[in-house]
Amino acid sequence: MRRRIRRGEPGSMSPRYDLIIVGTGFAGSFFLMRYLQRAPAQARVLVLERGSRDTKSWQLQNRRTSSMDPKEVFVNATPSKEWYTSPGFGGNSKCWLGGTTRMMPGDFKLATRYGVGVDWPMSYDDLEAHYCEVEQVMLVSGPSDSPMPRSRPFPLPPHRLSDPDALLKQRFPDGWFNVATSRASVATGKRGVCCATGVCELCPVDAKFTVQNGLASIYDDPRVELQLNAEVDAVDTVAGAAAGVNFTRAGRSEHAAADLVVLGASALFNPHILLRSGIKHPLIGKRLHEQLPIDVVLDLKGVKSYNGSTILTGLGYLFYEGEHRRDHAACMIETWNSPFPYKMGALRSDDGRWNERLIIRFLFDDVPREDNTVSVNLRDPRLAETRFVDYSDYAKRGAAQIPKMIDVLSQALPIENICVTEMGTTAAHIQGTALMGDDPATSIVDRHLVHHQYRNLLVLGASAFPTASPAYPTLTVSALSLWAADHLLS
């Protein structure tokens, strides 16, 4: 019997590429940046983006980051647990707040150090140089001191602390730090200085790093073909290898062949594509997770807030690393410098004391549960579906320590009253669902984000995170893309 010619093979009509990348967010863009630095002049790269290219002026004029409603791309089966995404060119770089913390060394070795969860298949030292490079590309603002080892200083100086942060830094010099952020503290030549108005999702002065203002030039490279409004339906696999992708554009089904396929479509859509591709593994789409956020509002006596130079000014590491992680989750603390996220209740009604109130957020790491999932919506397979049952008991035991933590903070702050304590609906960090690990039985991709079975298929981004550290994930997502590309191209 004659074998049918597949599209992309000699004699077919499908175009062929050296590399196909799905997604233009942090993961796909940093991988593409490194690939282009080393690829030959004749390389051909296809990048497929589900949404459109919504300009900054369009975003500001329409007061939204994407012309595509998130409801067009996924269904939330448990709406009490929110997940934020911004389809279109630049991905979630359009809507993020710009937080760029590194993970701590202990985050990579939870099982080895503390007997909890699983270890990551690499160490902090493996990623340290990649962290530095991403910080340089993003022009991150940060302090001269650091809670974790660093080989290079931050590219930009730190933002100004608020008065409460200054007191916390004075009392806990080794536990409190200026925030590390891609919101510029000084003019960069391309981005303005953070306006500290608290509307970071849109960033009216374009101060935070985005793919649009920081990496758009890589998509103008003559080796790159960018296809917008191209919805990837599945990875095409043949004889144990990825042969290309099937996608829909302008209502028409298309196919492109490639030697290498890279999924960089986030922890919502990477597993959705894998499942629609018929790629089997019991953990695909499982262990959806993020940090557990608890918000606390404190009334202060005689100390004014909201006088720092960016939306978040300080980060507390007092309750992060340590033997307590054997029993309960670690915690990173944020201090908010803008009342905007809370609107009513963020300001005091007392005459002359309206800003003697501090908003803080406690972020706890989580050990993922298998019943928190991303799946294919049964009514419309084009849509991903999220289902979140709960956080782990480990994270909840960490949150139970908040009264003790506030007692410690009271050594630096004149706290009059705790007026609000509530669980946040989201930390806006989507993680898990295509886990990395050394064992193919318990992970989807290996330590270099290469699929265990299909060795020319990479699955990038926070979908590979096996656990949720208290740190923001974006810097690690971007560093992992460089790490994966360096391994591949070496």
Side-chain angles (χ1 to χ4, degrees):
M1 179 180 295
R2 292 182 60 188
R3 185 175 66 89
R4 182 181 176 183
I5 296 176
R6 302 187 63 88
R7 290 169 293 182
E9 293 182 346
S12 77
M13 296 300 293
S14 293
R16 184 166 196 90
Y17 301 87
D18 298 286
L19 166 66
I20 294 176
I21 298 178
V22 180
T24 57
F26 293 105
S29 294
F30 274 92
F31 185 93
L32 177 60
M33 181 193 81
R34 176 66 93 239
Y35 182 87
L36 294 176
Q37 288 171 352
R38 300 189 179 183
Q42 67 272 21
R44 294 190 68 202
V45 180
L46 174 64
V47 181
L48 299 171
E49 169 55 56
R50 187 172 192 168
S52 59
R53 195 165 191 160
D54 302 313
T55 65
K56 189 67 181 180
S57 60
W58 183 95
Q59 294 174 46
L60 293 174
Q61 182 178 357
N62 291 275
R63 299 293 191 268
R64 52 191 293 195
T65 62
S66 175
S67 55
M68 180 178 285
D69 191 323
K71 292 180 181 178
E72 297 179 53
V73 294
F74 84 102
V75 174
N76 189 344
T78 47
S80 60
K81 179 69 182 73
E82 295 181 287
W83 305 101
Y84 291 161
T85 189
S86 183
F89 180 74
N92 290 342
S93 76
K94 301 194 302 294
C95 67
W96 75 317
L97 297 192
T100 52
T101 52
R102 299 181 178 195
M103 288 171 53
M104 293 286 280
D107 293 328
F108 293 88
K109 301 298 178 186
L110 274 179
T112 299
R113 288 194 181 187
Y114 306 115
V116 173
V118 297
D119 287 347
W120 286 45
M122 79 279 291
S123 68
Y124 176 88
D125 290 341
D126 289 329
L127 287 187
E128 202 281 329
H130 299 89
Y131 275 142
C132 290
E133 186 169 357
V134 175
E135 288 166 347
Q136 186 61 51
V137 172
M138 292 185 176
L139 294 177
V140 171
S141 302
S144 58
D145 54 354
S146 173
M148 72 282 293
R150 296 183 57 89
S151 61
R152 291 165 58 181
F154 286 104
L156 300 185
H159 278 278
R160 183 179 69 252
L161 293 174
S162 66
D163 287 355
D165 275 312
L167 292 174
L168 288 162
K169 181 65 175 176
Q170 181 179 7
R171 177 64 181 81
F172 307 111
D174 298 324
W176 212 268
F177 301 88
N178 303 70
V179 68
T181 176
S182 74
R183 301 181 297 272
S185 59
V186 296
T188 69
K190 293 184 178 179
R191 288 154 40 202
V193 179
C194 179
C195 61
T197 54
V199 288
C200 299
E201 181 177 347
L202 287 167
C203 193
V205 297
D206 216 18
K208 70 177 180 182
F209 169 88
T210 67
V211 170
Q212 291 171 311
N213 65 26
L215 280 179
S217 61
I218 63 177
Y219 293 94
D220 296 327
D221 190 293
R223 294 169 289 180
V224 177
E225 177 185 338
L226 173 63
Q227 294 282 2
L228 299 170
N229 302 302
E231 177 186 339
V232 173
D233 303 309
V235 176
D236 183 23
T237 58
V238 181
V245 298
N246 302 315
F247 62 100
T248 302
R249 188 163 58 98
R252 178 183 174 185
S253 295
E254 299 188 33
H255 178 273
D259 298 324
L260 177 69
V261 175
V262 173
L263 300 184
S266 90
L268 284 183
F269 305 114
N270 283 345
H272 181 241
I273 293 171
L274 292 173
L275 290 168
R276 293 189 71 194
S277 305
I279 294 176
K280 306 292 187 182
H281 194 286
L283 288 177
I284 292 179
K286 295 186 179 180
R287 301 185 188 175
L288 172 68
H289 65 273
E290 67 166 358
Q291 303 95 335
L292 168 60
I294 304 291
D295 301 324
V296 178
V297 181
L298 304 174
D299 284 344
L300 304 179
K301 184 177 182 179
V303 176
K304 309 293 186 183
S305 291
Y306 312 134
N307 51 11
S309 64
T310 190
I311 185 173
L312 295 164
T313 47
L315 294 175
Y317 286 80
L318 301 170
F319 314 106
Y320 202 127
E321 289 283 43
E323 286 300 307
H324 61 270
R325 300 188 78 170
R326 293 185 177 275
D327 302 315
H328 60 77
C331 178
M332 185 177 75
I333 305 175
E334 304 172 332
T335 49
W336 288 72
N337 186 57
S338 170
F340 178 78
Y342 287 82
K343 299 180 182 178
M344 299 301 295
L347 304 176
R348 297 181 67 161
S349 59
D350 310 68
D351 186 31
R353 304 185 66 191
W354 65 271
N355 60 343
E356 292 183 19
R357 178 166 283 179
L358 177 63
I359 302 168
I360 57 179
R361 168 168 279 193
F362 297 84
L363 286 170
F364 297 91
D365 62 337
D366 199 14
V367 177
R369 295 169 48 133
E370 291 194 16
D371 50 0
N372 298 329
T373 62
V374 171
S375 60
V376 178
N377 181 258
L378 295 179
R379 292 186 177 181
D380 186 352
R382 296 175 58 250
L383 303 178
E385 181 173 314
T386 60
R387 188 173 303 274
F388 189 84
V389 176
D390 206 353
Y391 294 96
S392 68
D393 291 338
Y394 180 74
K396 292 178 181 179
R397 289 197 299 271
Q401 308 302 311
I402 286 179
K404 297 178 182 178
M405 296 177 184
I406 293 176
D407 285 344
V408 173
L409 299 183
S410 69
Q411 298 175 25
L413 300 175
I415 299 172
E416 282 188 330
N417 184 44
I418 303 172
C419 52
V420 175
T421 301
E422 61 184 11
M423 183 184 297
T425 58
T426 182
H429 303 142
I430 310 169
Q431 302 169 180
T433 69
L435 310 179
M436 71 169 85
D438 293 325
D439 185 355
T442 57
S443 58
I444 313 302
V445 297
D446 68 15
R447 67 195 305 261
H448 295 111
L449 306 183
V450 179
H451 194 279
H452 282 300
Q453 181 180 356
Y454 302 96
R455 301 303 290 170
N456 64 333
L457 171 64
L458 275 70
V459 185
L460 305 179
S463 61
F465 285 20
T467 56
S469 81
Y472 313 134
T474 304
L475 199 76
T476 300
V477 164
S478 305
L480 281 172
S481 287
L482 298 184
W483 157 266
D486 284 344
H487 169 73
L488 179 79
L489 298 170
S490 65

